[in-house]
Amino acid sequence: MEALRAEGQPVIDFSIAISHFPAPRPVLDAVAHAVERERTMPYTSVVGALDVRARLAAKLREENGIEASASEIIVTNGAKQALYEALYTIADPGDSVLIFKPHWPAYVATSQLLGLRPILVDLPDAITPQLLDSLEIPKVVIINNPHNPTGKVYTRDELEHIRAWVERIGAKVIVDESYEHLIFEGEHTSLAALCDWRKIGVITIFSASQSYAMMGWRVGFALAPADVVDAMQTLQGPITAAAPHLSQVAAVAAFATGAPHEMMADYRQRRDLAVRLFAEVPWIVMHAPASGPYLWGDVRSLTMDTVGFAERLIEDKKVAIMPGDALGVPGFIRLGYISDDVATLRDGIRRIVEFGDLKK
């Protein structure tokens, strides 16, 4: 795709979700004020500035119903760094990690990088005790709530089932809640709010990237038992040290704004439009996701070779998508629908439909 763009060929990129919204105004104001007031940008503690972590702990108490202290929070360069450090800290090479598929590619890639063994399980419509009891017992469970790419929002009952199961088997849990505010239907509940998360060993990851249209700011944070935070800090120190000072300022301002209602109203309109445009296409099943910036389309009636589908689509129609193979499920495609103007969204979908119709 980059090569095509370098040649001057316009490509519509649905392979990732980059919001067309700017960061929230309070974020921009806070950063501008920090630059003007402070002039110099000092190093902070590797875990993040104390006042930043204290305010993030307040956000967890007030918004997520999680009791936490600043010593149990580490600010990171995005969710990926938090994921890497969490897995590195709580698992050893050869340990197993349960991951529901389709999955965010980083879960499997990071596990393999650390010598861990992914256990990939199809994400069901509903998590039940019977399903959980049928699974191989892992050392670590990764839960993505809300879920990328399907948009599933875990119910309170499902999270209670997971809580009871991991307590019984002694597994640690990493919960990625990066999309906590990108919900259309349902209600977000944090697993850590339902249990003694310190005793179980629940690590919860948050990110400003999608919930606040701050992809390039590269800032997130993790909530974990204090000893785990200490270990994550030991790992983070010689690699990147602290997240950038201004990104920490931006993170505090972003998470203080709560749910992005205007942005979500725009996303809902785009989601509904895209689903309508695909509704009459016989070779794709595209449901409206309950959350998130992606559509997850079933094209198995057309092809199982979704890598080939994606490669030929960008060659012939100059539209980039993510093949389901990259997320563990061939026969599906993932489309980000929040990046461009509505006219471009319509045009990209038109090109996809034309391309698929020719394959029938």
Side-chain angles (χ1 to χ4, degrees):
M1 183 174 64
E2 292 302 320
L4 291 172
R5 284 180 167 167
E7 294 171 0
Q9 299 189 47
V11 177
I12 298 175
D13 188 5
F14 292 159
S15 67
I16 195 167
I18 304 294
S19 181
H20 67 284
F21 273 77
R25 171 50 57 184
V27 171
L28 304 180
D29 290 344
V31 169
H33 182 65
V35 170
E36 181 62 28
R37 182 185 71 248
E38 299 182 29
R39 300 293 181 176
T40 60
M41 295 296 114
Y43 293 124
T44 73
S45 300
V46 171
V47 287
L50 179 59
D51 65 317
V52 168
R53 289 180 288 124
R55 291 170 68 181
L56 292 174
K59 171 259 194 275
L60 294 175
R61 289 191 299 271
E62 296 164 8
E63 194 170 85
N64 300 87
I66 303 170
E67 285 300 322
S69 66
S71 64
E72 295 164 324
I73 290 172
I74 181 169
V75 183
T76 58
N77 294 276
K80 282 185 177 179
Q81 184 172 31
L83 172 68
Y84 178 91
E85 292 173 1
L87 279 173
Y88 188 104
T89 299
I90 65 175
D92 295 312
D95 285 344
S96 56
V97 181
L98 176 68
I99 302 167
F100 288 105
K101 62 176 182 174
H103 54 74
W104 186 38
Y107 299 144
V108 171
T110 304
S111 296
Q112 292 174 335
L113 181 65
L114 293 173
L116 308 177
R117 180 171 62 88
I119 303 171
L120 301 181
V121 176
D122 290 330
L123 179 68
D125 291 335
I127 301 290
T128 65
Q130 294 76 20
L131 168 77
L132 295 171
D133 287 340
S134 72
L135 302 178
E136 177 183 343
I137 295 178
K139 175 69 176 292
V140 180
V141 179
I142 295 179
I143 300 296
N144 185 194
N145 179 38
H147 185 261
N148 170 10
T150 67
K152 176 181 174 63
V153 179
Y154 284 72
T155 66
R156 187 184 183 96
D157 284 347
E158 288 178 309
L159 293 172
E160 290 283 12
H161 296 326
I162 292 169
R163 175 200 58 75
W165 182 61
V166 297
E167 281 187 319
R168 187 167 67 253
I169 67 174
K172 305 297 185 184
V173 188
I174 297 174
V175 188
D176 180 353
E177 300 189 5
S178 296
Y179 292 2
E180 64 172 330
H181 286 309
L182 301 185
I183 295 179
F184 303 111
E185 286 86 35
E187 183 177 344
H188 177 256
T189 301
S190 294
L191 175 63
L194 304 179
C195 62
D196 185 342
W197 59 268
R198 298 177 182 88
K199 179 180 178 182
I200 295 175
V202 176
I203 300 172
T204 310
I205 297 172
F206 298 87
S207 170
S209 294
Q210 289 290 356
S211 285
Y212 298 108
M214 294 171 60
M215 295 78 182
W217 295 75
R218 306 311 307 138
V219 63
F221 72 96
L223 168 71
D227 61 325
V228 175
V229 167
D230 287 343
M232 293 172 70
Q233 174 183 212
T234 299
L235 176 61
Q236 182 167 309
I239 300 174
T240 64
H245 178 96
L246 284 180
S247 292
Q248 294 187 49
V249 170
V252 167
F255 284 106
T257 63
H261 298 294
E262 180 185 355
M263 187 176 77
M264 287 304 293
D266 176 272
Y267 287 4
R268 181 186 291 275
Q269 291 179 348
R270 288 166 174 262
R271 178 201 67 166
D272 293 348
L273 170 64
V275 171
R276 285 199 306 272
L277 293 175
F278 281 117
E280 301 303 320
V281 180
W283 50 264
I284 189 168
V285 178
M286 186 77 77
H287 298 296
S291 71
Y294 292 110
L295 301 174
W296 182 241
D298 182 349
V299 296
R300 288 176 294 180
S301 67
L302 179 68
T303 181
M304 289 297 294
D305 180 16
T306 38
V307 170
F309 181 94
E311 291 174 346
R312 290 188 294 275
L313 176 64
I314 194 169
E315 291 172 4
D316 296 352
K317 293 294 185 179
K318 303 301 182 287
V319 177
I321 61 169
M322 180 73 75
D325 309 60
L327 297 91
V329 185
F332 288 75
I333 57 175
R334 191 190 73 174
L335 286 75
Y337 62 89
I338 64 172
S339 300
D340 302 296
D341 55 40
V342 172
T344 303
L345 177 63
R346 285 180 177 273
D347 186 31
I349 292 174
R350 178 187 59 78
R351 297 187 202 184
I352 293 171
V353 173
E354 287 179 353
F355 178 76
D357 286 347
L358 291 174
K359 290 180 60 66
K360 284 295 287 182

